Amino acid sequence: MTDTRITLVTGANQGVGLQLTKELVAHGHTVYLGSRDLARGEQAAAGIAAVENASGGSAIPIQIDVTDVDSISAAAARIRAEQGRLDMLVNNAGISKTVDRALGSPEYRAHSLASNASLDEIRAIWNVNVFGALAVYQAMLPLLRDGKDPRIVMVSSGVGSLATNADPNYAYHSIYGPGYAASKTAMNAMALTIMIELENTDIKVNIVSPAFTATALNGFAGTESIEDGSREVVRVALLGPDGPSGTFTQWENTAISW
Ligand SMILES: NC(=O)c1ccc[n+]([C@@H]2O[C@H](COP(=O)([O-])OP(=O)(O)OC[C@H]3O[C@@H](n4cnc5c(N)ncnc54)[C@H](OP(=O)(O)O)[C@@H]3O)[C@@H](O)[C@H]2O)c1
């Protein structure tokens, strides 16, 4: 059995997940680079080959669609066969909408009011961000129980904070809607259920938010570079065995109210 840290990152073929994968590989991790489209995962993994050579880490593309139970089970079976364990799960895959074009803030707000948001779109978002993350947790838990210093990182968002959004002065108060933002609130609720289930085990659980980062999720409107915006996700994913559990942080290790 290898001593290298074995990690699975979902939605790792682009954006924050890819940046995290690069940095974990640079720290010597063996990272299963999850991608719903295997060819795109293979392309992403090929792009970080230079990092692998320097660090001894590696990126292994793996097909995983978090809305497809069969693909999740197949991924778990493959990791069991190849590694016998999983040390860290990063539930990163996420979507913000289903319409296939960028929406500016006013248009996004108009599109996602409680009174008019599409229930089909809300269900699709929740299927990935909430039920997908929970399904991957359920499938990977037996592997994590056999892992070393196991940790689960839930990549959520500050826009999911109920306490923050209830404040009329919060910058994104007016765009708190039932789709993406509420899905991240629900993801945090799922994370709490996981934390409570695991509180008497050695498996640690953290929730983390990237900064507002230029990725496909927001039509590249984010104000932070991929490297800077992913920094807190990387910091939490690199916490050692003495690192905390039960945290929800964003940007420079700042706690977020649930
Ligand atoms: N960017 C920000 O400002 C920001 C802020 C706060 C939180 N976040 C969170 O950060 C995480 C990563 O987002 P990002 O900004 O890096 O966006 P991104 O570049 O769009 O990446 C999202 C990833 O999730 C994957 N994905 C979508 N649906 C999936 C499914 N059904 N199964 C498996 N993978 C799926 C995407 O795959 P495809 O490439 O195939 O679409 C992509 O790899 C998300 O959870 C997001 O909510 C982002």
Side-chain angles (χ1 to χ4, degrees):
M1 189 182 279
T2 175
D3 275 345
T4 312
R5 199 151 169 74
I6 312 293
T7 295
L8 167 65
V9 182
T10 63
N13 55 284
Q14 64 168 329
V16 172
L18 178 56
Q19 181 63 27
L20 172 65
T21 299
K22 274 185 201 163
E23 298 201 34
L24 293 179
V25 169
H27 280 81
H29 287 219
T30 297
V31 182
Y32 281 87
L33 184 162
S35 180
R36 57 179 162 176
D37 176 340
L38 183 59
R40 295 187 60 208
E42 287 169 345
Q43 202 176 16
I48 53 182
V51 183
E52 293 178 353
N53 293 339
S55 70
S58 58
I60 303 172
I62 191 166
Q63 198 275 331
I64 182 165
D65 180 331
V66 304
T67 64
D68 176 354
V69 175
D70 291 343
S71 92
I72 299 170
S73 305
R78 179 176 163 196
I79 296 170
R80 170 69 70 192
E82 291 180 359
Q83 310 290 348
R85 69 176 210 273
L86 186 65
D87 303 323
M88 182 162 64
L89 164 64
V90 183
N91 256 323
N92 168 76
I95 61 171
S96 58
K97 57 183 171 50
T98 55
V99 291
D100 195 15
R101 65 191 162 81
L103 299 176
S105 284
E107 195 186 1
Y108 182 78
R109 178 172 183 274
H111 171 87
S112 44
L113 294 169
S115 58
N116 68 359
S118 152
L119 288 171
D120 285 344
E121 181 170 51
I122 295 168
R123 286 191 190 98
I125 295 169
W126 284 54
N127 267 339
V128 177
N129 299 0
V130 185
F131 305 118
L134 188 66
V136 176
Y137 163 70
Q138 291 183 349
M140 300 300 159
L141 182 58
L143 284 159
L144 288 162
R145 288 195 193 281
D146 292 333
K148 287 194 281 187
D149 306 321
R151 188 175 291 279
I152 298 168
V153 179
M154 306 286 274
V155 182
S156 183
S157 173
V159 305
S161 162
L162 282 177
T164 310
N165 278 286
D167 176 357
N169 296 316
Y170 176 53
Y172 302 109
H173 171 79
S174 69
I175 58 164
Y176 187 79
Y180 179 70
S183 80
K184 290 299 187 178
T185 308
M187 187 198 211
N188 295 349
M190 293 302 169
L192 182 59
T193 67
I194 293 169
M195 287 173 188
I196 290 170
E197 179 178 13
L198 299 179
E199 62 195 357
N200 295 319
T201 75
D202 65 343
I203 305 175
K204 297 187 172 182
V205 187
N206 305 88
I207 311 175
V208 68
S209 174
F212 185 38
T213 309
T215 66
L217 187 95
N218 50 43
F220 299 93
T223 49
E224 299 296 332
S225 68
I226 191 70
E227 293 83 2
D228 283 346
S230 307
R231 202 185 301 147
E232 179 64 3
V233 182
V234 173
R235 186 191 71 81
V236 170
L238 286 173
L239 287 172
D242 297 331
S245 186
T247 58
F248 179 20
T249 57
Q250 178 183 35
W251 194 239
E252 302 289 7
N253 195 7
T254 305
I256 306 177
S257 305
W258 291 57

